[in-house]
Amino acid sequence: VGSDGGIFSFGDATFFGSMGGQHLNKPVVGMASTPGSVNPSTGSIVPDGYWLVASDGGVFGFGNAGFMGSMGGKRLNAPIVGIAPGPYALNVANFSLQTTGYWLAASDGGVFSFGKTNFFGSLGGIKLVSPVSGVAPA
């Protein structure tokens, strides 16, 4: 993903859309893929979508990545630096995975949860030696 929201797919990665060429208030700083279908023969998971997040907390979903909220348009103490998908749930009837939501992380350690993801705490309001630079999935 480029800072302008342009997506570049390689190999067998599916292109679901992008923000390239669209006006953005702030640059895109992170990307996370959604869970997808499970191939019952191989057990491999093929993502069916992705989210982009901008430094102002705006979230953009493509493919099956549903919008579950954002920090866009809200006052932030520090810019958003990343997005991570929440836990997955397996639908055994059709071998598909579904996410419960996503987390956004800010450079001051603030964490914001959306959808049905749990909030486990954050470092917001605590003096850090250096800024947070990302967030990892659960």
Side-chain angles (χ1 to χ4, degrees):
V1 63
S3 62
D4 67 348
I7 297 292
F8 308 92
S9 58
F10 299 94
D12 61 355
T14 302
F15 176 78
F16 294 106
S18 77
M19 292 304 292
Q22 304 295 316
H23 170 74
L24 297 174
N25 293 331
K26 295 290 182 176
V28 169
V29 294
M31 177 181 184
S33 65
T34 65
S37 304
V38 177
N39 181 328
S41 320
T42 64
S44 63
I45 300 170
V46 181
D48 292 332
Y50 43 79
W51 295 282
L52 308 181
V53 66
S55 65
D56 65 354
V59 174
F60 311 95
F62 298 92
N64 73 348
F67 179 77
M68 298 179 200
S70 76
M71 293 304 292
K74 297 181 177 128
R75 185 188 168 289
L76 296 172
N77 293 331
I80 298 296
V81 295
I83 184 171
Y88 301 155
L90 175 63
N91 180 338
V92 293
N94 64 4
F95 294 102
S96 68
L97 292 173
Q98 299 167 336
T99 188
T100 57
Y102 43 81
W103 292 282
L104 305 182
S107 65
D108 67 352
V111 174
F112 308 92
S113 58
F114 295 93
K116 294 180 181 176
T117 57
N118 291 322
F119 177 75
F120 297 107
S122 74
L123 296 172
I126 297 173
K127 184 171 172 37
L128 302 176
V129 174
S130 57
V132 169
S133 60
V135 59

